[in-house]
Amino acid sequence: MRRLIIGISGASGAIYGLRALEMLRDFDDVETHLVISPSAIRTALAEGTGKTADEIRGLADRVYSHGDIGASIASGSFRCDGMLVAPCSIKTLSGIAHCYADDLIVRAADVCLKERRRLVLMVRETPLHAGHIALMDQATRNGAVIMPPVPSFYTLPKSIAEMVDQTVGRALDQFGLHHPTVRRWTEDHND
C-alpha cells in the first residue's frame, strides 16, 4: 500500500486539494493521510466547493488535527511516498522554506524533505513579489517541487473542472500516479 500525505492550506483554490483526494480514491493501492487547516475549511466553504468540513475529511483514509505536531506523519519513521500541499499558501510556503514547523502541515512537509521524499507545493498566489520568489527558491533548494496550479490550454478545456483535473493529475504525476483524466501532449497538436 502506498501512502500519500495531502495538506490543504488556507490559500484560494481549496478545490485542488479536494480533487486530489477524490482522484486518489481511484487508486486501490494508495492510502491518503489528510491535514487541513482551519483557514482551508473556511476557504473551501467560501469558494462554494459544495463540501462541508466533515465531507472533506471523509475523502481521506486518515485525518489528523492541524495542530497535532505529534501525529505519526510528523515522524521520519512514518513511511510514505511523499506529500502534496494543494493549495499551498504563502504562509505555509514560508514555514516550509524556513523549517518553521509550528503546525502539522509544515512539520509533515519538513519531514518529507529531511527524509528525501517527494514534496509538491501547489503555491497559490499572484502577483508575486521578491519575497515570495525567494521563498520558492529556498523551498526548491530544500528539495521541494514548486508546482503552481497553472492551467494547460493545449488540452482545450471546456470547464473549470477540466482545468482543475488536468492540473491535479499533473501534480499526481510527480508521485508516479497516472490518472486517466490527464490529457498528454502529443505530436498531433499543431503549433
Side-chain angles (χ1 to χ4, degrees):
M1 180 67 70
R2 298 182 65 182
R3 292 172 163 172
L4 191 62
I5 302 167
I6 304 296
I8 304 177
S9 74
S12 180
I15 191 65
Y16 293 110
L18 274 63
R19 282 301 291 146
L21 288 167
E22 290 170 343
M23 291 169 78
L24 286 165
R25 295 180 98 175
D26 295 335
F27 296 92
D28 293 333
D29 64 337
V30 176
E31 181 180 271
T32 54
H33 294 255
L34 172 65
V35 184
I36 183 168
S37 74
S39 298
I41 292 169
R42 182 176 179 177
T43 301
L45 296 173
E47 290 181 341
T49 62
K51 301 245 186 259
T52 66
D54 286 339
E55 289 171 328
I56 295 168
R57 290 183 188 103
L59 295 172
D61 295 304
R62 290 281 315 269
V63 180
Y64 304 87
S65 170
H66 182 252
D68 185 8
I69 59 168
S72 59
I73 62 173
S75 171
S77 66
F78 179 81
R79 293 183 13 200
C80 69
D81 293 292
M83 181 175 185
L84 170 65
V85 182
C88 181
S89 67
I90 293 297
K91 178 183 177 186
T92 299
L93 171 66
S94 180
I96 293 167
H98 294 293
C99 311
Y100 186 72
D102 68 338
D103 65 50
L104 187 54
I105 292 176
V106 176
R107 174 61 186 162
D110 194 56
V111 167
C112 284
L113 291 174
K114 80 179 186 70
E115 297 294 329
R116 306 304 192 262
R117 296 180 183 132
R118 179 71 74 173
L119 173 64
V120 177
L121 307 176
M122 294 182 80
V123 177
R124 251 304 278 125
E125 188 61 72
T126 191
L128 301 168
H129 62 62
H132 299 152
I133 293 167
L135 290 171
M136 287 188 281
D137 176 62
Q138 183 61 51
T140 300
R141 290 172 191 261
N142 292 350
V145 174
I146 305 297
M147 188 175 179
V150 177
S152 57
F153 293 103
Y154 66 84
T155 63
L156 305 176
K158 294 174 180 49
S159 67
I160 292 173
E162 285 184 10
M163 287 191 288
V164 169
D165 283 357
Q166 178 73 13
T167 302
V168 171
R170 292 286 289 123
L172 296 180
D173 279 351
Q174 292 292 311
F175 299 95
L177 297 166
H178 307 294
H179 197 274
T181 60
V182 174
R183 295 184 56 205
R184 309 286 173 190
W185 178 262
T186 67
E187 292 180 8
D188 296 337
H189 285 84
N190 294 325
D191 289 325

